[in-house]
Amino acid sequence: MKKTPSFLAFLMVPLLCCCAQVMGGDGDGVFEYKEIYLPDALGSQGKKLGLNSVDNDWGIWGHNLRQVLPKDASALVYAMTDGQQRTKDQFCFSSAKLYEYIVRYIENTYGENDTHRFAILPNDNGLVCQCRLCKDAGNTPKDASPAVCNMIERLARRFPNHIFFTSSYNTTKSLPDHKLPENTGVLVSAITYYLCPVENVQIAEFEHVLKQWSDKVSHVYVWDYINNFDDYFTPFPIFNIMQRRLQMYARSNVKGVFLNGSGTDYSTMQHMHVKVLADLLKDPDSNIEELVREHCEKRYPVAGKLVADFALFQEKWTEKRGKVLPLYGGVSQAVDTYLPAVEFAEFHDAFCKVVPKTSGNERKIMERMCNVMSLTRLELLRISGNIEGYQKFYDHLAALAAKNTEVYSEACWTVQSYLKDYDFMAKHAEETRNDNLLLGKKLVPLTSLDEEYSDISILTDGMLGLPSNYHCGQMLSSATPDLRISVPNVPGMKKLCIWMTRNGPFHIILPQKIVLTSGGAKIGEAVPQPLAYNSDRAMVEFKIPSSARGELILSIVRNTEDRTMAIDEIEGF
């Protein structure tokens, strides 16, 4: 189940409007606009580091153009579809009324003298206005850029002290046919420029996009990414990767960089990430090792060397690995790309032993780091198929969860839900490990598996999946309507149990039905239902008749009206 960030979800967050009179951060460095979306960079802390913020420096941010409209807004501000019907799902950027509302909003809220930035973006969908004026401007059913660029050009001439932005995204990817005024810009998402520790083909392609836009507008801002958005707790090595990217942005005439991270939610080593990245935004040629060691020495008097040593080791290890880092991935993907599992475990053990030797603010920071990284340790145990010794890491994480609700992903997966699911899995594994005849047995898929979920061995590893996180122990399937699996008919096996999970927000639902056959003869058919004691799980059970010969064939039928089902374990008793 591959997720693609839109201009990531943050673009949808309403702007907290305030009339700050700030053109940029501290004006220091190669970029006029520098923002890091991590907790330690928000508010006054960010200002001390010379960083910008959307709350202070933007009059309209993201897909929030609707905020300029009065309650009785004219229907003429909305897009006209091919059927000549107005839709409130999109705007008409040729509308004189829409221009009038934007002008009035700016005049009344921000005035004309101070400098603010305004994102004049379509709503985040594929609709494009097809009225006569928009078509005359050059709009096509999939391209809104002509009318949008006309609008920002008109606004730029009306308000010469403000800066007006379009985006290189969705229906506004095409460039204007002429150079726009000096006070115009573009927000370019780096989603197609993969996070990779070694140079790859995407760099030339992205550099070309930036060059094209810099020929058309004076303020090219890049929206980039600095977290695994499904796992804020596993240390994420971003310094070497981001340094190369920032160096490229500087030589490509990029004027602003927004580094999208965990936002207001905690992510491991966030303090170091903010400080080092802020320094790199000022000077992309800075020495990373010096920055890391200097920060750790000042911030963590006792544990600083330990933290710096591991962070720098992980950076080098990831570079040698040379693989694209996932923006959305679980610990299995982390181990394959950026997490040296053995060294991390050694670091975490040593780190937690040092915590009692710390005091004051360092103690507070270290305790939290020790606890959050215990989630990674639990995941490493789970994917190994052996959770022996998990309790101490479980207890560390529980201590964190006892204080307040903690989320560890963009999707707001909570530590509390994770612990509940992990506890259920651990107890089930303990209860069944000696009796499960299919434990470790090889299954054979008879239909195609999803590219991202092709490891069928997780279905006989003895570990149930965690419903609250689709990365944890489940095999998702949406590739075929009918997932068929060959299951060995182990001697003495009298029943077969198939476990499933569901997750409503991610459209992971239970299969429509499951059919078991042997030698072409149907043994049974079942419609999965949520368990009475755990509504996010289901289990169906088939009795295996003594007359069954040869391999058993499971046909797991997906509800094609929804996209995904999750099978997390197949057991035999």
Side-chain angles (χ1 to χ4, degrees):
M1 178 180 178
K2 217 176 213 177
K3 284 172 63 179
T4 301
S6 58
F7 224 131
L8 269 178
F10 185 60
L11 271 180
M12 301 302 293
V13 176
L15 176 66
L16 300 178
C17 298
C18 58
C19 298
Q21 301 179 18
V22 184
M23 170 62 189
D26 61 2
D28 187 16
V30 297
F31 304 112
E32 70 182 28
Y33 188 93
K34 308 179 288 292
E35 182 162 4
I36 302 172
Y37 194 45
L38 285 172
D40 266 35
L42 303 179
S44 60
Q45 293 168 299
K47 287 184 179 180
K48 290 177 183 177
L49 293 169
L51 298 173
N52 298 82
S53 77
V54 295
D55 290 340
N56 292 336
D57 299 308
W58 292 78
I60 303 174
W61 169 249
H63 302 286
N64 288 298
L65 190 55
R66 192 176 300 277
Q67 75 187 45
V68 311
L69 302 181
K71 291 182 179 179
D72 58 347
S74 167
L76 296 176
V77 303
Y78 298 115
M80 183 177 287
T81 63
D82 281 333
Q84 302 301 302
Q85 297 293 320
R86 297 280 178 184
T87 172
K88 290 188 176 182
D89 292 331
Q90 194 52 270
F91 298 107
C92 170
F93 287 89
S94 297
S95 167
K97 273 293 182 183
L98 181 60
Y99 173 79
E100 177 187 325
Y101 291 143
I102 297 173
V103 168
R104 188 184 306 167
Y105 174 80
I106 295 173
E107 288 176 337
N108 293 340
T109 313
Y110 298 97
E112 304 188 29
N113 298 321
D114 300 324
T115 298
H116 284 79
R117 298 163 177 85
F118 296 86
I120 309 299
L121 310 184
N123 287 336
D124 192 6
N125 57 48
L127 297 176
V128 176
C129 184
Q130 295 294 287
C131 75
R132 180 182 60 79
L133 291 175
C134 283
K135 283 185 175 180
D136 288 346
N139 274 20
T140 70
K142 293 185 178 180
D143 184 10
S145 279
V148 172
C149 287
N150 284 350
M151 175 67 82
I152 70 167
E153 181 169 14
R154 190 178 178 190
L155 290 166
R157 297 194 188 285
R158 170 64 182 81
F159 297 101
N161 290 324
H162 295 310
I163 309 174
F164 296 89
F165 287 79
T166 181
S167 63
S168 179
Y169 171 69
N170 204 352
T171 60
T172 53
K173 286 182 180 178
S174 65
L175 285 84
D177 59 9
H178 62 283
K179 173 81 173 179
L180 298 182
E182 288 297 310
N183 59 325
T184 59
V186 64
L187 295 167
V188 183
S189 169
I191 191 63
T192 59
Y193 180 22
Y194 303 144
L195 288 182
C196 188
V198 295
E199 299 293 6
N200 52 48
V201 295
Q202 282 78 29
I203 185 174
E205 297 170 358
F206 196 62
E207 214 166 353
H208 178 64
V209 170
L210 297 176
K211 173 65 170 61
Q212 286 182 309
W213 275 106
S214 66
D215 290 339
K216 300 296 183 180
V217 298
S218 299
H219 302 268
V220 177
Y221 288 9
V222 172
W223 176 288
D224 215 332
Y225 310 90
I226 55 173
N227 269 104
N228 176 348
F229 293 92
D230 275 344
D231 181 3
Y232 294 154
F233 285 4
T234 299
F236 197 71
I238 195 64
F239 300 142
N240 288 341
I241 292 174
M242 194 50 62
Q243 180 174 53
R244 276 195 286 270
R245 293 163 87 90
L246 293 176
Q247 289 168 341
M248 186 272 276
Y249 297 159
R251 67 175 181 261
S252 298
N253 203 30
V254 168
K255 296 295 175 62
V257 180
F258 180 98
L259 299 181
N260 192 27
S262 63
T264 58
D265 296 320
Y266 179 91
S267 68
T268 299
M269 299 187 184
Q270 62 184 29
H271 312 287
M272 178 174 60
H273 283 180
V274 168
K275 181 61 172 68
V276 173
L277 289 172
D279 288 337
L280 288 175
L281 282 167
K282 291 179 182 177
D283 180 7
D285 296 324
S286 298
N287 184 295
I288 289 174
E289 180 167 359
E290 289 179 2
L291 294 178
V292 169
R293 292 200 180 280
E294 180 184 7
H295 167 79
C296 289
E297 182 181 334
K298 289 182 179 179
R299 193 74 184 254
Y300 321 125
V302 177
K305 185 178 185 305
L306 187 62
V307 175
D309 285 349
F310 176 75
L312 292 168
F313 172 82
Q314 187 183 18
E315 291 280 341
K316 292 176 182 177
W317 185 91
T318 302
E319 196 155 12
K320 288 180 181 178
R321 198 76 173 156
K323 294 188 176 184
V324 173
L325 275 60
L327 288 180
Y328 290 96
V331 168
S332 293
Q333 290 95 326
V335 169
D336 187 47
T337 56
Y338 67 86
L339 182 68
V342 173
E343 291 81 2
F344 169 75
E346 292 172 350
F347 160 68
H348 185 243
D349 287 340
F351 183 87
C352 292
K353 289 178 182 177
V354 167
V355 171
K357 301 176 184 179
T358 62
S359 60
N361 193 49
E362 183 183 12
R363 177 67 170 268
K364 182 179 178 181
I365 294 172
M366 295 297 109
E367 281 184 343
R368 193 173 195 186
M369 283 178 63
C370 172
N371 289 339
V372 300
M373 288 190 291
S374 292
L375 188 145
T376 307
R377 296 297 298 277
L378 287 172
E379 279 298 282
L380 288 173
L381 289 175
R382 185 189 59 77
I383 65 175
S384 74
N386 180 2
I387 59 172
E388 185 177 351
Y390 83 93
Q391 191 65 49
K392 66 177 179 179
F393 305 119
Y394 184 97
D395 291 343
H396 281 160
L397 209 54
L400 180 76
K403 294 180 180 179
N404 55 288
T405 300
E406 286 276 357
V407 303
Y408 62 94
S409 77
E410 180 190 62
C412 295
W413 290 329
T414 67
V415 170
Q416 285 82 355
S417 292
Y418 178 88
L419 290 171
K420 176 184 174 184
D421 289 344
Y422 205 97
D423 187 53
F424 186 95
M425 176 207 72
K427 289 178 179 177
H428 182 82
E430 176 68 26
E431 292 169 356
T432 60
R433 77 172 75 176
N434 295 325
D435 301 317
N436 182 4
L437 299 176
L438 288 178
L439 184 63
K441 293 293 189 293
K442 182 178 179 180
L443 305 178
V444 178
L446 303 178
T447 49
S448 60
L449 303 176
D450 286 33
E451 180 182 355
E452 297 284 305
Y453 297 89
S454 59
D455 181 11
I456 200 167
S457 68
I458 67 171
L459 301 185
T460 53
D461 65 356
M463 304 288 173
L464 296 179
L466 312 188
S468 63
N469 184 327
Y470 63 80
H471 289 301
C472 299
Q474 294 132 123
M475 193 182 78
L476 304 190
S477 178
S478 57
T480 58
D482 184 0
L483 175 64
R484 289 186 295 122
I485 300 172
S486 175
V487 180
N489 191 354
V490 179
M493 188 167 67
K494 296 181 179 180
K495 68 177 180 179
L496 192 68
C497 299
I498 300 91
W499 288 84
M500 298 142 279
T501 67
R502 64 177 187 171
N503 187 317
F506 283 87
H507 301 281
I508 299 172
I509 63 170
L510 299 177
Q512 191 175 63
K513 64 178 178 179
I514 300 178
V515 180
L516 180 66
T517 61
S518 177
K522 181 188 287 189
I523 292 177
E525 179 177 315
V527 176
Q529 298 294 332
L531 297 176
Y533 57 88
N534 192 322
S535 62
D536 291 328
R537 297 184 185 274
M539 189 271 284
V540 298
E541 181 177 308
F542 295 102
K543 291 183 179 180
I544 310 299
S546 57
S547 58
R549 295 290 181 267
E551 293 181 317
L552 305 169
I553 306 299
L554 271 174
S555 294
I556 305 168
V557 181
R558 178 168 61 89
N559 183 337
T560 54
E561 292 182 2
D562 224 314
R563 64 184 186 187
T564 310
M565 60 185 180
I567 314 303
D568 67 329
E569 198 67 19
I570 299 176
E571 301 172 323
F573 300 98

